[in-house]
Amino acid sequence: MKLLPLMFVFFGVSLCEVGNISEDDDIELERQVKMMNRPPVKTFVTEVGDTIDCIDIDKQPSLQHPLLKNHKVQKEPTLHLTGFGGNFSHTKSIQFGYKESCPVGTVPIPRITKKDLIRARALPRMPSSTAAGQDALQSNQHVLSLSLSLWVVSLTEDMTENTKYGVYGRLSTYNITVAHDQFSSHNLWIETGPKDHISMIAAGWMVSPQLYGDSLSRFFIYWTGNGYRDGCYNLLCPGFVLVDKELPFTEPLPVSTYGGDQYEVLIQIEQVYHSKFLQFVKNLSTNFPSDQDHKTGNWWLILFDDQTKIGYWPKELFLYLRDGSRHVAWGGVGLADSNGFCPPMGSGHKPDGNFKHATFIRRLQWIDAKGVPLLPSDKVSKWVDKTLVYDLQYHSKLWRRTFGHWIAYGGPGGYCRL
Ligand SMILES: *[C@@H]1O[C@H](CO)[C@@H](O)[C@H](O)[C@H]1NC(C)=O
Ligand SMILES: *[C@@H]1O[C@H](CO)[C@@H](O)[C@H](O)[C@H]1NC(C)=O
Ligand SMILES: *[C@@H]1O[C@H](CO)[C@@H](O)[C@H](O)[C@H]1NC(C)=O
Ligand SMILES: *[C@@H]1O[C@H](CO)[C@@H](O)[C@H](O)[C@H]1NC(C)=O
């Protein structure tokens, strides 16, 4: 595996606070902004004032990634997707996208400014859901001594005998207020590998002034292929290949109200490389046609009830996650500010058993080698970093058939250094 000097420099140093920028740094930022902004076919401004450039799908900035030099964009995947069910009369599925869409053959890329890159550099990496628990158990001191405190609340499917080829969940959304140097994320994880070289994908919704420049609840993705030496949030670095022309990345989401309407966003991440499935089918038919989609091993991001294929993380990006994943997880992350205050997470209320009170992720499922969605095993581990300010409840009994297995989690936040 080649190291990526480029990514290393720009995204590996994201832990330091950025104050004054040196001249060299400034030149690099300019260069990067230039690299990430390709000549648009069309440009439009969204309702909340984001500038979106429609870029030729074959010239999108992600293809500048050194590992994707000869990458051919997989435009029309014939994924064999399984439905996950779960329509429920007391929740509303979010179907979001830009009001204006891009011309055929182009994809909508939020314009990146130098300011965006500087703000994003100050943003800490997405923590691993499996490492969170281990770190804290091994040495609480270690976690506490970090100047940036990231606290994880999660349910991890840990039965490593089961290789996971995907994860699914329906996440309820809320408005919450966080300080400029805090963030609160609510997401699914896919991750494999030792801590220092972990490969990870995350997707969900987040409130992060540092990432977005405001406090709206917005969709986000994150990836790293090799222990944070590469990768980034959203489309701030090359990697994620967009296919849908109505990308909802930076769009603010409709939100639920405490005790009232519940809005949920459906997220599915699936690797379309079922080696065992292939073997299985080949056993059935020696004349099995070579199915390109089953060979690429790309991890697809699929949203909404209608299973819109947004785009994918090419397999080449990852040191691990090449043939399935050992772990999948559901939960949230709170980034405490420098004074030791944790942000609210979810609805700002701890779970109390009522799905309209705390934020939830429901219909928890993972996908096996044959593409079949399955319920979490009995080897799930529940992790709550700061029980004073956050909590998580796992409901593994089918409460209502359509609701599925679910977690409710989050809390009000508050002082959490001790
Ligand atoms: C930036 O540089 C200026 C002038 O050199 C200095 O006054 C200011 O305190 C510096 N700011 C930071 C955040 O270091
Ligand atoms: C769920 O409901 C939505 C809108 O009510 C509908 O468009 C969608 O097809 C339904 N999905 C399934 C899997 O029944
Ligand atoms: C959530 O916040 C946004 C932005 O401040 C606002 O427009 C929206 O009405 C709020 N929604 C609810 C349900 O409070
Ligand atoms: C396919 O056939 C091979 C050889 O006969 C066997 O070892 C393997 O277990 C089979 N795989 C599946 C998934 O049935």
PDB file of all heavy atoms in Angstrom, residues 276-277 279-281 283 370, ligand 4:
ATOM      1  N   LYS A 276     -18.434 -14.544  -1.308  1.00  0.00           N
ATOM      2  CA  LYS A 276     -19.087 -15.820  -1.001  1.00  0.00           C
ATOM      3  C   LYS A 276     -20.326 -15.999  -1.856  1.00  0.00           C
ATOM      4  O   LYS A 276     -20.635 -17.076  -2.310  1.00  0.00           O
ATOM      5  CB  LYS A 276     -19.470 -15.870   0.477  1.00  0.00           C
ATOM      6  CG  LYS A 276     -18.313 -16.205   1.358  1.00  0.00           C
ATOM      7  CD  LYS A 276     -18.789 -16.447   2.766  1.00  0.00           C
ATOM      8  CE  LYS A 276     -17.668 -16.178   3.762  1.00  0.00           C
ATOM      9  NZ  LYS A 276     -18.195 -15.667   5.018  1.00  0.00           N
ATOM     10  N   PHE A 277     -21.009 -14.871  -2.079  1.00  0.00           N
ATOM     11  CA  PHE A 277     -22.191 -14.899  -2.926  1.00  0.00           C
ATOM     12  C   PHE A 277     -21.802 -15.362  -4.333  1.00  0.00           C
ATOM     13  O   PHE A 277     -22.435 -16.212  -4.930  1.00  0.00           O
ATOM     14  CB  PHE A 277     -22.817 -13.505  -2.974  1.00  0.00           C
ATOM     15  CG  PHE A 277     -23.941 -13.364  -3.944  1.00  0.00           C
ATOM     16  CD1 PHE A 277     -25.203 -13.823  -3.618  1.00  0.00           C
ATOM     17  CD2 PHE A 277     -23.749 -12.788  -5.179  1.00  0.00           C
ATOM     18  CE1 PHE A 277     -26.253 -13.701  -4.509  1.00  0.00           C
ATOM     19  CE2 PHE A 277     -24.795 -12.666  -6.073  1.00  0.00           C
ATOM     20  CZ  PHE A 277     -26.046 -13.120  -5.743  1.00  0.00           C
ATOM     21  N   GLN A 279     -19.241 -17.108  -5.178  1.00  0.00           N
ATOM     22  CA  GLN A 279     -18.898 -18.511  -5.109  1.00  0.00           C
ATOM     23  C   GLN A 279     -20.171 -19.361  -5.132  1.00  0.00           C
ATOM     24  O   GLN A 279     -20.274 -20.323  -5.867  1.00  0.00           O
ATOM     25  CB  GLN A 279     -18.114 -18.768  -3.811  1.00  0.00           C
ATOM     26  CG  GLN A 279     -17.418 -20.099  -3.770  1.00  0.00           C
ATOM     27  CD  GLN A 279     -16.412 -20.229  -4.899  1.00  0.00           C
ATOM     28  OE1 GLN A 279     -15.617 -19.344  -5.117  1.00  0.00           O
ATOM     29  NE2 GLN A 279     -16.489 -21.329  -5.618  1.00  0.00           N
ATOM     30  N   PHE A 280     -21.119 -18.909  -4.355  1.00  0.00           N
ATOM     31  CA  PHE A 280     -22.400 -19.582  -4.215  1.00  0.00           C
ATOM     32  C   PHE A 280     -23.112 -19.676  -5.561  1.00  0.00           C
ATOM     33  O   PHE A 280     -23.559 -20.733  -5.990  1.00  0.00           O
ATOM     34  CB  PHE A 280     -23.238 -18.788  -3.205  1.00  0.00           C
ATOM     35  CG  PHE A 280     -24.611 -19.312  -2.957  1.00  0.00           C
ATOM     36  CD1 PHE A 280     -24.814 -20.458  -2.210  1.00  0.00           C
ATOM     37  CD2 PHE A 280     -25.728 -18.635  -3.454  1.00  0.00           C
ATOM     38  CE1 PHE A 280     -26.092 -20.924  -1.959  1.00  0.00           C
ATOM     39  CE2 PHE A 280     -26.997 -19.093  -3.209  1.00  0.00           C
ATOM     40  CZ  PHE A 280     -27.179 -20.245  -2.461  1.00  0.00           C
ATOM     41  N   VAL A 281     -23.164 -18.529  -6.253  1.00  0.00           N
ATOM     42  CA  VAL A 281     -23.859 -18.500  -7.533  1.00  0.00           C
ATOM     43  C   VAL A 281     -23.096 -19.305  -8.568  1.00  0.00           C
ATOM     44  O   VAL A 281     -23.676 -20.013  -9.390  1.00  0.00           O
ATOM     45  CB  VAL A 281     -24.074 -17.044  -8.002  1.00  0.00           C
ATOM     46  CG1 VAL A 281     -24.748 -17.025  -9.361  1.00  0.00           C
ATOM     47  CG2 VAL A 281     -24.905 -16.290  -6.992  1.00  0.00           C
ATOM     48  N   ASN A 283     -21.323 -21.852  -8.052  1.00  0.00           N
ATOM     49  CA  ASN A 283     -21.579 -23.260  -7.797  1.00  0.00           C
ATOM     50  C   ASN A 283     -22.875 -23.708  -8.444  1.00  0.00           C
ATOM     51  O   ASN A 283     -23.010 -24.835  -8.858  1.00  0.00           O
ATOM     52  CB  ASN A 283     -21.660 -23.529  -6.288  1.00  0.00           C
ATOM     53  CG  ASN A 283     -20.275 -23.618  -5.672  1.00  0.00           C
ATOM     54  OD1 ASN A 283     -19.275 -23.416  -6.336  1.00  0.00           O
ATOM     55  ND2 ASN A 283     -20.241 -23.918  -4.391  1.00  0.00           N
ATOM     56  N   LYS A 370     -24.215 -12.839   1.215  1.00  0.00           N
ATOM     57  CA  LYS A 370     -25.157 -13.097   0.128  1.00  0.00           C
ATOM     58  C   LYS A 370     -26.057 -11.898  -0.126  1.00  0.00           C
ATOM     59  O   LYS A 370     -26.987 -11.968  -0.919  1.00  0.00           O
ATOM     60  CB  LYS A 370     -26.005 -14.333   0.456  1.00  0.00           C
ATOM     61  CG  LYS A 370     -25.188 -15.610   0.425  1.00  0.00           C
ATOM     62  CD  LYS A 370     -26.023 -16.805   0.840  1.00  0.00           C
ATOM     63  CE  LYS A 370     -25.132 -18.031   1.043  1.00  0.00           C
ATOM     64  NZ  LYS A 370     -25.824 -19.086   1.780  1.00  0.00           N
TER      65      LYS A 370
HETATM   66  C1  LIG B   4     -18.876 -23.994  -3.693  1.00  0.00           C
HETATM   67  O1  LIG B   4     -18.262 -25.199  -4.122  1.00  0.00           O
HETATM   68  C2  LIG B   4     -17.012 -25.433  -3.494  1.00  0.00           C
HETATM   69  C3  LIG B   4     -16.393 -26.663  -4.150  1.00  0.00           C
HETATM   70  O2  LIG B   4     -17.349 -27.620  -4.440  1.00  0.00           O
HETATM   71  C4  LIG B   4     -17.222 -25.610  -1.989  1.00  0.00           C
HETATM   72  O3  LIG B   4     -15.986 -25.863  -1.343  1.00  0.00           O
HETATM   73  C5  LIG B   4     -17.811 -24.353  -1.442  1.00  0.00           C
HETATM   74  O4  LIG B   4     -18.110 -24.509  -0.066  1.00  0.00           O
HETATM   75  C6  LIG B   4     -19.079 -23.982  -2.190  1.00  0.00           C
HETATM   76  N1  LIG B   4     -19.478 -22.651  -1.717  1.00  0.00           N
HETATM   77  C7  LIG B   4     -20.725 -22.334  -1.381  1.00  0.00           C
HETATM   78  C8  LIG B   4     -20.936 -20.945  -0.881  1.00  0.00           C
HETATM   79  O5  LIG B   4     -21.648 -23.087  -1.500  1.00  0.00           O
END
